[in-house]
Amino acid sequence: MRQVDPPRRESPRRWRAAYPHWTLISVVVGIVFLTVVLAVFRTKVRPLDVFSAFLLFGAAVLSVLIVLYTRSLRRAQQIQLDTEERLQEMADNIQEIVWMIDAETKKALYVNAAYETITGRSCQSLLENPSSYEDLIHPEDRVHVLTKLGEATQTGHFDERFRIVRADGEVRWVTVHGFPARDDAGRIYRLVGTAQEITALKEAEEKIAKHLASAESARAESDALCKATLALTADLRMDFVLDTLLESLLELVPGECARVLLLEGDSQLLVAREKLRHPVPEKAEDYPLTLDAADSPFLLRILTTQNSVLLADTKDEKEWPGFKGHANIRSWLCVPLVASQQTLGLLSVGHTDPNAFTQDHVRRTQLLAIPAAAAIQNSRLFERAEIYGSELQRRLTDLRQTEKALEHSEEGRRVSEDKFQKVFRSSPIPFSITTVKEGRFVDVNAAFERRYGYSRAEVIGRTAGELGIWEDPKDRALMIAQLQQRGPIRNAITRLRTKSGELKTTAYSADKIQFDGQSCILAVSEDLPDNDKSLNN
């Protein structure tokens, strides 16, 4: 081991070389001493009395004790020096710094060779300035570490992680542990401990923490998107869809206001819904309800290219002052709502601080815009289907009343059949009667022939499965199950195939009837408007 102020000690090997026969010399000295004592007594005291005998015996015992004590003392010294040599060798070869400081002055008393490897400073520099180890501590950690070191001189415990700055300027992490050395009175007079470099461990911990944070962020984002997607499909009413959409958007993006703008015509944008993170009591009376994309180049660019836009600072956008309702917005991002390659509108978020949004926020908004566009499209389809369904419901009610009239009397039945046939044949809406069990066509009207391209003779007696009218045969099975369990079907949106193979989106209503003594299904299928392209998806 190396000390800042090391005492000089002779090696036990050197001492044995200087005195190779120390044990034999001690024995000879003891025998000579006894011989001299006996000679004196024989010459001066002839009659050996009891006192002289005791004196002679004591001298002999003393000589033996001196020899034994000297031998034991030298053996203990040899063991101690050998132990110090082993400790010195261990300290010089371990990778941890072994240190010792004075508890009162906090000056270094002892370090090993690892001090030079870890700190890049020599042990000699610490010998010349025993307090220079304080300069190793990173300036941001120095006050804290020295405060804890001062407390350790009282408590005896020091356990800290901190940064050091090597002589070459490189920053490294170390973990330092210390424990007390006490005197006989129990007072701490020294602190002894170890210091180990943990730079690689610290970097690994930081990487793991970073990866865990990224994974947690991705999980939270995924959960939020799943929750938003489920919420958007829970109710097809447009008001519910828009409110849910903006609520989900502000959960994913830290904006202060969010808007849904729906496209009407080529460039007119209707502000269908706006949500503020911190709502104000009242809006200004001139609050804009519509915007013309032709007056805002960045809005027109989004509608034309269907690409998202991120404005880090709206003051850098020359056309921004003309964007009504967002005069106080400094950061702004906008994502188009696209379904079936058709732009339905825009989804935007704003913030009063510049540089509030990143590309990651744009990515989150784009992910939310996918189910949002589908939900808006489905909501529009639902609203139109309700309108058509009401008319179909009225006509089905008329047919049901006619059917009830058949139950009164045979005469009434014939009259009702005539009425039914007239309504059935003359109706401009496609009607069909099929058996419940097989789906075999019993009758169809002229409107059915025109819509699906089949003549009446081509379908009578054949099943829907043979003709392949249902795009998905499972839809018919589901329809039969619903009729059995819940009764009449109203305004179910499905897709049916014509004779030419064209698929048509249809509002489909059906009910069970008795026809010619068979359990049959009376079905009414209504075309959705051809000019509504969004309904053909």
Side-chain angles (χ1 to χ4, degrees):
M1 295 185 290
R2 302 183 181 181
Q3 293 185 352
V4 175
D5 187 16
R8 298 183 61 86
R9 291 192 179 95
E10 291 187 1
S11 171
R13 295 178 180 176
R14 290 184 179 179
W15 191 90
R16 285 196 295 269
Y19 306 98
H21 306 295
W22 64 274
T23 304
L24 181 60
I25 294 173
S26 299
V27 174
V28 172
V29 170
I31 294 174
V32 171
F33 176 76
L34 289 175
T35 304
V36 172
V37 171
L38 290 175
V40 170
F41 273 98
R42 285 180 180 176
T43 54
K44 293 185 177 181
V45 184
R46 292 177 181 269
L48 189 60
D49 54 9
V50 176
F51 175 76
S52 298
F54 277 109
L55 182 61
L56 181 60
F57 178 75
V61 172
L62 180 60
S63 298
V64 173
L65 292 177
I66 291 174
V67 171
L68 294 176
Y69 175 75
T70 302
R71 183 177 180 182
S72 175
L73 180 62
R74 298 315 302 174
R75 181 177 296 173
Q77 290 177 343
Q78 180 179 349
I79 292 173
Q80 180 181 0
L81 292 176
D82 289 343
T83 301
E84 289 184 357
E85 274 193 349
R86 288 193 293 271
L87 292 175
Q88 177 75 44
E89 185 177 357
M90 291 173 58
D92 288 341
N93 287 279
I94 63 175
Q95 297 179 352
E96 296 182 0
I97 298 175
V98 179
W99 54 269
M100 181 187 298
I101 64 171
D102 184 88
E104 183 175 354
T105 64
K106 299 185 184 65
K107 290 184 178 181
L109 302 175
Y110 170 75
V111 288
N112 62 340
Y115 178 83
E116 297 181 353
T117 303
I118 295 178
T119 66
R121 290 171 169 80
S122 65
C123 295
Q124 182 63 29
S125 65
L126 193 59
L127 170 63
E128 295 171 355
N129 183 4
S131 298
S132 62
Y133 67 88
E134 297 179 359
D135 299 332
L136 288 170
I137 306 173
H138 193 282
E140 296 179 4
D141 301 338
R142 188 173 298 156
V143 174
H144 172 76
V145 173
L146 293 180
T147 300
K148 290 295 183 179
L149 186 61
E151 295 175 0
T153 59
Q154 304 298 322
T155 63
H157 298 287
F158 185 81
D159 190 358
E160 293 293 327
R161 281 185 173 190
F162 55 89
R163 292 166 291 177
I164 63 170
V165 181
R166 284 171 47 88
D168 56 7
E170 183 182 355
V171 177
R172 294 188 179 181
W173 280 87
V174 295
T175 179
V176 181
H177 306 281
F179 54 91
R182 302 178 184 272
D183 57 17
D184 295 339
R187 182 179 62 88
I188 299 174
Y189 70 100
R190 286 180 182 176
L191 285 177
V192 182
T194 60
Q196 182 180 8
E197 182 186 349
I198 57 168
T199 304
L201 176 62
K202 189 67 177 179
E203 292 176 352
E205 290 177 349
E206 291 176 352
K207 288 181 180 179
I208 292 173
K210 183 178 180 180
H211 293 328
L212 288 176
S214 299
E216 180 61 24
S217 176
R219 185 196 63 79
E221 178 183 320
S222 177
D223 290 346
L225 288 171
C226 289
K227 178 182 176 182
T229 302
L230 292 174
L232 288 171
T233 57
D235 195 324
L236 291 178
R237 291 174 299 172
M238 184 64 75
D239 289 343
F240 178 85
V241 169
L242 296 179
D243 290 337
T244 302
L245 174 57
L246 292 185
E247 183 178 350
S248 301
L249 179 59
L250 288 179
E251 287 182 3
L252 289 169
V253 180
E256 293 183 353
C257 66
R259 274 182 174 181
V260 178
L261 299 95
L262 298 181
L263 184 61
E264 301 290 342
D266 294 332
S267 62
Q268 292 295 321
L269 290 168
L270 170 67
V271 181
R273 194 68 94 247
E274 181 178 59
K275 183 176 179 61
L276 304 178
R277 189 176 293 275
H278 305 291
V280 294
E282 295 181 357
K283 293 182 179 179
E285 294 181 359
D286 59 347
Y287 184 78
L289 297 177
T290 60
L291 297 172
D292 192 348
D295 298 333
S296 300
F298 46 89
L299 289 180
L300 187 60
R301 185 168 64 252
I302 298 172
L303 293 176
T304 304
T305 63
Q306 294 184 347
N307 293 329
S308 304
V309 168
L310 171 61
L311 299 180
D313 192 343
T314 56
K315 287 190 175 181
D316 298 334
E317 177 61 49
K318 296 180 181 180
E319 304 296 335
W320 184 261
F323 190 23
K324 292 183 286 185
H326 275 352
N328 61 332
I329 295 298
R330 293 291 302 275
S331 298
W332 187 76
L333 67 84
C334 186
V335 173
L337 295 166
V338 180
S340 303
Q341 299 182 348
Q342 179 185 4
T343 302
L344 304 181
L346 302 176
L347 193 58
S348 70
V349 190
H351 201 288
T352 55
D353 295 332
N355 301 307
F357 303 132
T358 65
Q359 288 297 330
D360 186 60
H361 295 135
V362 176
R363 180 185 60 80
R364 294 181 183 181
T365 308
Q366 289 172 336
L367 291 175
L368 180 62
I370 296 173
I376 291 174
Q377 188 180 52
N378 291 336
S379 181
R380 285 178 169 178
L381 178 62
F382 175 73
E383 289 178 345
R384 286 165 174 78
E386 279 191 324
I387 296 173
Y388 302 133
S390 297
E391 180 62 21
L392 291 175
Q393 180 65 36
R394 184 184 66 79
R395 297 182 183 184
L396 284 173
T397 301
D398 293 341
L399 291 175
R400 189 174 294 106
Q401 291 175 352
T402 302
E403 182 183 8
K404 287 182 179 180
L406 296 175
E407 300 175 358
H408 295 319
S409 65
E410 184 64 21
E411 183 63 24
R413 184 184 64 80
R414 286 194 298 269
V415 173
S416 297
E417 284 181 354
D418 291 339
K419 292 182 179 180
F420 177 82
Q421 288 295 333
K422 288 179 182 179
V423 174
F424 185 86
R425 299 296 175 197
S426 62
S427 174
I429 300 175
F431 279 75
S432 65
I433 301 175
T434 57
T435 61
V436 174
K437 184 176 181 181
E438 298 175 329
R440 191 174 303 279
F441 281 94
V442 177
D443 204 354
V444 296
N445 66 352
F448 183 94
E449 294 177 299
R450 290 193 299 271
R451 185 175 194 266
Y452 296 101
Y454 293 100
S455 67
R456 184 171 180 272
E458 287 177 313
V459 298
I460 299 301
R462 301 179 69 184
T463 66
E466 293 172 352
L467 296 175
I469 288 181
W470 292 84
E471 178 190 21
D472 187 353
K474 294 180 180 178
D475 289 349
R476 184 180 184 279
L478 179 61
M479 181 267 293
I480 296 297
Q482 291 179 346
L483 280 172
Q484 298 288 358
Q485 296 176 5
R486 305 184 214 172
I489 294 175
R490 300 291 181 264
N491 310 323
I493 306 302
T494 186
R495 290 165 70 88
L496 299 179
R497 184 179 289 106
T498 65
K499 181 178 179 180
S500 64
E502 179 185 0
L503 292 174
K504 290 191 175 184
T505 304
T506 302
Y508 188 90
S509 297
D511 199 355
K512 291 175 62 177
I513 63 171
Q514 291 294 322
F515 190 81
D516 289 342
Q518 299 183 80
S519 179
C520 297
I521 296 174
L522 173 63
V524 181
S525 56
E526 177 74 354
D527 280 350
L528 296 178
D530 293 333
N531 59 356
D532 190 346
K533 297 180 180 179
S534 66
L535 299 180
N536 292 329
N537 184 9

